[in-house]
Amino acid sequence: MARKDVASMFAVALFIGAFAAVPTSVQSIGVCYGVIGNNLPSRSDVVQLYRSKGINGMRIYFADGQALSALRNSGIGLILDIGNDQLANIAASTSNAASWVQNNVRPYYPAVNIKYIAAGNEVQGGATQSIVPAMRNLNAALSAAGLGAIKVSTSIRFDAVANSFPPSAGVFAQSYMTDVARLLASTGAPLLANVYPYFAYRDNPRDISLNYATFQPGTSVRDQNNGLTYTSLFDAMVDAVYAALEKAGAPGVKVVISESGWPSAGGFAASADNARTYNQGLINHVGGGTPKKREALETYIFAMFNENQKTGDATERSFGLFNPDKSPAYNIQF
């Protein structure tokens, strides 16, 4: 998930209040399904839990055959990551991409509703040069297999955007993202973006209020460049991504929020109350889009379960909406 160094760009605002009803305009609220734990339910039990809660989207982080099999005829829309360990191989040749599609897509689609394939998640450093070749090769392989309805993208960390306050100043920090954006524009695929107000707030609580970061009401922030007013940090971050796409020559590319969430334990401001407030606020909010794009924003919450074998900060093990025994970590209405 997106981490670190996203805090410097946003000014203060405030927000408190009751949860709104879930908007009927939300077409897809998904939840990311990570499996870095030794006590998680079976794949089939997980799919049943999604269905019982009315969760109609899922993201998985590698081509997990057991999960894909369990998803057959479930109707759940899927983001299927290739896995960062596959990026260079798929970028290397169209035949490698074709093999991956034959092994991991053709046996399951359309019984599994694969919507997007993510060529990398938060790719960093020199590996970013493999993103566009991998995307091109996957597009060619899907087209050759008659599976061109599946869109290929990549999932970016928020720090792929620089100058993100005010939102209208957003621009991609590195040139490879211009190539990504233009490729997406040519194929009609969205940009997948991991957007975490939690990390921005954690790293800069002096200048960002908790209420602004968790969809709670209060003072608004005005973008002096375009006159738009922001009452949530999430909207400001998403609109910075849209601004960066415009500057890259891809104003028509949509954004899909491929991860967003708040930890319930393990660190600063990580509590069940804050996690509930943020995630319920996110569900209630995204049907109306952002100030810049007033249309439903397809969004995937991170994550389905608390994963006890994740490394890094203690918060990394506490982003789950559910405990491994399938009990809710806190109450959420989808």
Side-chain angles (χ1 to χ4, degrees), residues 40 66 92 119 173-174 207 212 228 233 270 288:
L40 299 177
Q66 290 183 335
Q174 297 185 48
D207 293 332
Y212 187 51
L228 295 175
L233 178 54

Side-chain angles (χ1 to χ4, degrees), residues 11-13 165-168 212 219-231:
V12 170
F165 188 82
S168 59
Y212 187 51
T219 308
S220 58
V221 175
R222 189 170 186 270
D223 186 328
Q224 297 295 333
N225 294 334
N226 59 18
L228 295 175
T229 296
Y230 291 87
T231 58

Side-chain angles (χ1 to χ4, degrees), residues 10 166 251:
F10 296 96

Side-chain angles (χ1 to χ4, degrees), residues 23-30 56-57 115 286-287 296-298:
T24 56
S25 58
V26 177
Q27 296 304 305
S28 185
I29 285 286
N56 61 13
K115 298 178 69 175
V286 294
L297 184 62
E298 186 175 348

Side-chain angles (χ1 to χ4, degrees), residues 155-197:
S155 186
I156 62 166
R157 226 164 71 153
F158 184 70
D159 61 6
V161 177
N163 304 329
S164 51
F165 188 82
S168 59
V171 62
F172 288 123
Q174 297 185 48
S175 59
Y176 78 89
M177 280 301 304
T178 297
D179 297 330
V180 169
R182 291 177 179 173
L183 178 56
L184 295 172
S186 74
T187 63
L191 178 63
L192 307 178
N194 297 345
V195 175
Y196 284 92

Side-chain angles (χ1 to χ4, degrees), residues 307-322:
E307 299 170 69
N308 67 354
Q309 293 183 314
K310 292 201 76 173
T311 58
D313 292 347
T315 53
E316 297 290 331
R317 295 180 286 281
S318 297
F319 272 85
L321 300 177
F322 294 88

Side-chain angles (χ1 to χ4, degrees), residues 22-62:
V22 178
T24 56
S25 58
V26 177
Q27 296 304 305
S28 185
I29 285 286
V31 181
C32 302
Y33 172 33
V35 294
I36 306 176
N38 62 8
N39 57 354
L40 299 177
S42 70
R43 301 326 196 237
S44 58
D45 282 354
V46 170
V47 171
Q48 183 54 42
L49 183 60
Y50 271 70
R51 296 181 73 178
S52 71
K53 298 297 181 182
I55 303 168
N56 61 13
M58 179 188 287
R59 180 182 183 184
I60 60 176
Y61 290 89
F62 65 99

Side-chain angles (χ1 to χ4, degrees), residues 78-81 113-118 150-153 189-190 192 256 298 300:
L78 184 67
I79 301 177
L80 173 59
D81 282 46
N113 180 19
I114 301 169
K115 298 178 69 175
Y116 314 118
I117 293 173
I150 300 171
K151 299 300 185 182
V152 177
S153 187
L192 307 178
V256 168
E298 186 175 348
Y300 294 76

